[in-house]
Amino acid sequence: MTTTRRDASPGRAPSVHPLAAADAELPLPRVPGTSLHRQLFLVLRDRIVSGELPTGAALPKEEALCQQFGVSRITVRRALGDLAALGLVERRHGLGTFVRGSGRVARPQPTLSFVDELRRLGAQTEVEVLAFAKEPPPAQVASLLALAAGEPALHALRLRSVKSTPLMLTDAWVPAAAAKGITRAALGKKAMYELLLQHGVRLGRVVQEISAEIASPRLAQALATEPGAPLIRLVRLLHDTQGKPVQHLTVHMSAERSRILMEVKADAVNTLNAGLVVHDALLASGAAPS
């Protein structure tokens, strides 16, 4: 579908929004800090993963890719080389480049409750405790946990993996009063929420925020992905039954390996339970969230 400007003068071709030109290719933007071969790699990879380029399909010739995206042959070859290194394409001498597989994995729908799913995650994954210490949290975290400036809290950084493939990096802060009795060894075996329950904390409401982030070199290394790759970022603030915050949790996951599903009942659609879209640009201008 194309979009036409209302002020287009007679005889002039209507302007087409770039996103509406599905069949047209646009030159890759020259953005400082973003290599052209990386951009082309991501475009082609997304087409393979989505199934637009199915297994066995031939990619356009190098010359055609150069013309379509306005890049050099070296850029095209580097992008195709990266795809081949991931096993997504096969380069056949004299014939071209062909899709080997989409890399997609069948995704069955979850059938367990939230808590049951957490238990299964803990039972079926390996956990590595990367950091464990009592120290003052960052100012924003301290404020959300209602801690005084400089007041220490338990800090636990953990990596969950399955068969050596990283799934999620969790960064948890727990007020010292709620963290009594929690040890590094225990965190290597059980989830934080289970340990909180064992030590007398009764969980109440949870407020969480879901956003996107690009992988920094540190996060990319931990999650075995490339710097600049898309990540899911989930921030969760847990309260006890008295409304007191007992845990601040930040989770990073690869968007290529993980997803977040929510089920919202009809009577909760118009409540915060269904989620709220917050536009920071609107908040900065004084407008209310939508």
Side-chain angles (χ1 to χ4, degrees):
M1 178 180 177
T2 58
T3 38
T4 306
R5 293 181 56 179
R6 295 181 179 179
D7 60 351
S9 58
R12 291 181 59 186
S15 62
V16 179
H17 192 283
L19 294 181
D23 297 328
E25 297 295 355
L26 300 174
L28 296 175
R30 269 61 177 173
V31 180
T34 305
S35 64
L36 293 176
H37 82 271
R38 174 66 183 173
Q39 294 184 55
L40 180 57
F41 161 81
L42 292 173
V43 170
L44 296 176
R45 186 197 62 182
D46 288 348
R47 291 182 178 179
I48 293 172
V49 171
S50 69
E52 182 180 341
L53 290 172
T55 300
L59 270 66
K61 299 293 185 181
E62 291 183 2
E63 297 84 354
L65 290 172
C66 291
Q67 293 178 2
Q68 289 175 4
F69 295 97
V71 296
S72 68
R73 187 181 292 268
I74 294 177
T75 295
V76 170
R77 288 178 175 173
R78 290 189 65 182
L80 294 179
D82 289 346
L83 290 171
L86 288 179
L88 295 176
V89 301
E90 177 183 7
R91 307 185 73 179
R92 303 174 188 171
H93 183 69
L95 296 177
T97 303
F98 297 84
V99 178
R100 291 187 59 185
S102 67
R104 291 185 299 176
V105 177
R107 289 179 163 183
Q109 296 297 315
T111 57
L112 302 178
S113 70
F114 175 73
V115 173
D116 287 338
E117 196 69 45
L118 287 177
R119 288 174 180 160
R120 185 173 71 171
L121 179 66
Q124 296 182 350
T125 59
E126 308 95 40
V127 62
E128 180 182 1
V129 181
L130 304 177
F132 182 87
K134 288 188 177 180
E135 56 190 353
Q140 184 176 16
V141 174
S143 176
L144 290 171
L145 290 175
L147 299 178
E151 184 178 350
L154 174 62
H155 181 211
L157 183 66
R158 296 184 298 168
L159 180 66
R160 284 198 175 275
S161 307
V162 59
K163 296 181 180 179
S164 300
T165 299
L167 292 183
M168 55 196 300
L169 184 69
T170 63
D171 192 348
W173 292 89
V174 177
K180 291 180 179 178
I182 296 178
T183 65
R184 184 181 189 126
L187 276 175
K189 299 177 181 178
K190 294 187 177 182
M192 179 70 82
Y193 85 94
E194 290 183 288
L195 297 176
L196 290 174
L197 291 175
Q198 284 183 7
H199 291 87
V201 176
R202 294 294 173 260
L203 299 181
R205 71 187 186 101
V206 178
V207 179
Q208 64 181 20
E209 172 187 286
I210 303 170
S211 59
E213 185 175 333
I214 61 172
S216 66
R218 182 184 69 87
L219 290 173
Q221 181 180 17
L223 292 170
T225 187
E226 308 95 353
L231 300 179
I232 299 171
R233 181 175 184 266
L234 183 148
V235 179
R236 181 177 291 160
L237 186 63
L238 283 74
H239 302 75
D240 63 15
T241 53
Q242 305 301 314
K244 185 176 181 179
V246 293
Q247 183 189 20
H248 182 281
L249 178 68
T250 302
V251 180
H252 284 98
M253 298 173 282
S254 167
E256 297 174 351
R257 303 185 202 123
S258 305
R259 56 189 169 138
I260 296 175
L261 296 181
M262 296 177 63
E263 180 182 27
V264 181
K265 295 183 179 180
D267 58 0
V269 168
N270 291 321
T271 71
L272 190 59
N273 291 334
L276 177 69
V277 177
V278 178
H279 303 287
D280 290 338
L282 289 179
L283 293 180
S285 67
S290 60

